[in-house]
Amino acid sequence: MKELLVSLDLELNQPSRRIIQIGAVVGNIRTGEIVSRFDSKVSPDEELSPAIAKLTKIKQQEVDVAPKLREAYESLKRWLEPFAGERVLNPITWGGGDTETLREQLQLDRERWLFGRRWLDAKTLFVAWRMAQGRELQGGLGRSMTKLGLAFEGRQHNAIDDAENTFRIYRALLFEFGKAPSAMMTKKVTHIRQRVRKV
């Protein structure tokens, strides 16, 4: 089984939603080790929204000298080449929009797309886990991590840090779901024993 997964995150300017940063990590889902990191600012060919500059801490000067989106994507492809035979094709994201946003802004058809036709949505997985527990569903990535006993590492709204923490919460959720069958079996056995006692 392939153990390497890519976690991908984007930062976007507003209101245009043009990409201004691509962050990605390759992580080993079994060991939790981050094998490699990719971080690139992207020129949106426009002024940054003051609110986005404040939120992301990305400066106008940084994007003014940053590569265009196509060039940044080609760098991303070269970075991933050594892992081609070892990684799962579909990337992990927090919410489903980032891979589609990247593909659409690049104007690529699905046949030439780097990440296949699907993605692994850690946010949806988290919501399913909370629903199974009968708990509240609200919370962004950082707050959601606390529900699993994790602390966000780095700075939120920085694509490379968000990508790494998305990998961490996805891995933690897989372990939580891995516990579920045995927990359910314990409840079922307890219920059967209670019925037997009543009889």
Side-chain angles (χ1 to χ4, degrees):
M1 184 184 76
K2 293 181 179 179
E3 296 182 346
L4 298 184
L5 279 83
V6 181
S7 180
L8 176 74
D9 190 79
L10 307 176
E11 296 300 328
L12 310 176
N13 199 20
Q14 296 295 348
S16 68
R17 293 185 55 78
R18 290 184 180 176
I19 297 168
I20 57 174
Q21 186 186 14
I22 302 172
V25 301
V26 173
N28 186 305
I29 201 68
R30 180 177 57 83
T31 66
E33 176 191 4
I34 300 299
V35 177
S36 187
R37 295 172 173 84
F38 176 89
D39 184 14
S40 178
K41 303 295 191 301
V42 178
S43 171
D45 285 325
E46 63 184 15
E47 293 293 314
L48 290 180
S49 156
I52 292 299
K54 182 178 180 180
L55 182 70
T56 63
K57 303 295 189 290
I58 296 174
K59 297 179 174 61
Q60 185 67 46
Q61 303 94 296
E62 292 181 281
V63 295
D64 284 344
V65 298
K68 307 292 187 187
L69 181 58
R70 173 67 68 164
E71 185 181 345
Y73 177 68
E74 292 301 322
S75 295
L76 178 67
K77 285 173 64 178
R78 287 192 296 272
W79 170 71
L80 280 173
E81 280 175 4
F83 309 106
E86 304 174 68
R87 74 175 178 93
V88 175
L89 182 63
N90 308 121
I92 306 167
T93 63
W94 182 255
D98 282 354
T99 51
E100 286 297 280
T101 296
L102 180 57
R103 187 180 67 81
E104 287 169 6
Q105 291 192 23
L106 286 162
Q107 298 181 326
L108 291 178
D109 56 46
R110 293 187 185 277
E111 284 68 30
R112 296 164 55 207
W113 179 228
L114 183 60
F115 293 115
R117 298 185 179 187
R118 299 175 181 83
W119 54 85
L120 306 172
D121 186 355
K123 186 174 184 179
T124 297
L125 195 62
F126 174 78
V127 168
W129 178 67
R130 294 292 283 178
M131 287 178 68
Q133 295 181 318
R135 302 289 179 85
E136 62 172 311
L137 306 180
Q138 297 176 347
L141 176 57
R143 185 179 170 192
S144 297
M145 292 180 75
T146 65
K147 309 300 183 185
L148 288 140
L150 300 173
F152 189 97
E153 295 180 359
R155 180 170 52 78
Q156 294 186 50
H157 305 295
N158 177 17
I160 184 65
D161 291 338
D162 284 347
E164 183 165 341
N165 284 282
T166 297
F167 173 82
R168 291 176 60 222
I169 194 172
Y170 182 80
R171 181 171 182 269
L173 285 164
L174 290 188
F175 277 93
E176 288 297 318
F177 278 107
K179 296 174 189 174
S182 58
M184 289 171 65
M185 185 59 69
T186 300
K187 289 180 180 178
K188 187 173 182 179
V189 169
T190 302
H191 179 65
I192 291 171
R193 284 175 179 166
Q194 288 171 348
R195 290 184 62 187
V196 169
R197 287 195 191 107
K198 288 178 182 178
V199 172

